[in-house]
Amino acid sequence: MKMGLVSRKSLEKSFAIHYADSLFIADLASTYSKGVVHDLGTGAGFPGIIFGIRYPEKKVHLHEKMQKKQTYLTDALARLALPNLSLHGAFPDRAESGLVLARAVMPRPELFAFLETRMWPESILITNLGGSSEDSAVPKGFLKLDEKQYKLPLDSGFRKLEIIKKVPRGT
């Protein structure tokens, strides 16, 4: 099946900016995953499918609202036949527990506003900041636990990940 799921500009360096990046995220996320892992806006399955392949004992919900990408993901999951991976539409409106992976899904202010009522307290968010020196302040209701920076292979730049915990209101 051939579908345009990632930017044409990223095809040359797809190993580094999609696969290697997803491996870095998966390895870091594995230490925080206690329960279901939710990949918000998974797109072509990055990093959720990579996480699910690398950690088959962890249950991974891939959340994707675009029908074109859901069609691809349905086919990919059928071929992989991994029971720990499941496809879901848009991220639910109700609060979810577990770990949320948000790799380049939406701008930070929108991401925090979106997740404010969709994450249970004590749940963890791992979000990708890219290589920029973007302001990493988090809004009330979230607590930044850590930040990790790493270099992608093939001179593809640096990435930063933030590990953020959802905290109870009023803290």
Side-chain angles (χ1 to χ4, degrees), residues 3 10 36 61 66 68 74 81 88 92 114 119 123 151-152:
M3 298 179 114
S10 71
V36 176
H61 291 185
M66 292 181 62
K68 175 182 176 180
T74 299
H88 303 263
F114 179 83
M119 286 177 68
S123 295
K151 185 177 192 276
L152 293 174

Side-chain angles (χ1 to χ4, degrees), residues 21 24-25 128 148-152 157-159 161:
D21 190 34
F24 283 115
I25 294 168
N128 187 301
K148 301 287 184 190
Q149 183 172 338
Y150 53 95
K151 185 177 192 276
L152 293 174
F158 289 88
R159 294 283 197 266
L161 294 177

Side-chain angles (χ1 to χ4, degrees), residues 47-107:
I49 289 178
I50 303 299
F51 185 97
I53 291 169
R54 191 147 171 93
Y55 300 100
E57 73 283 2
K58 305 279 187 176
K59 183 178 274 192
V60 180
H61 291 185
L62 305 174
H63 297 278
E64 179 54 58
K65 66 181 183 178
M66 292 181 62
Q67 188 60 49
K68 175 182 176 180
K69 293 177 182 178
Q70 285 182 16
T71 300
Y72 162 77
L73 290 164
T74 299
D75 183 62
L77 294 179
R79 291 170 189 250
L80 288 169
L82 291 172
N84 63 319
L85 290 168
S86 60
L87 177 60
H88 303 263
F91 199 84
D93 289 334
R94 68 183 183 280
E96 295 286 330
S97 63
L99 172 68
V100 176
L101 304 175
R103 178 183 178 260
V105 68
M106 63 184 77

Side-chain angles (χ1 to χ4, degrees), residues 153-171:
L154 306 175
D155 295 323
S156 296
F158 289 88
R159 294 283 197 266
K160 291 180 193 172
L161 294 177
E162 282 187 316
I163 300 94
I164 299 164
K165 179 165 59 168
K166 178 74 170 92
V167 295
R169 289 185 178 196
T171 57

Side-chain angles (χ1 to χ4, degrees), residues 6 15 17 33 80 98 104 108 110 113 120 126 129 135 137-138 152 165:
V6 297
F15 168 76
I17 64 174
S33 61
L80 288 169
R108 287 175 62 79
E110 291 174 37
W120 281 106
I126 296 181
L129 292 176
D135 177 29
V138 297
L152 293 174
K165 179 165 59 168

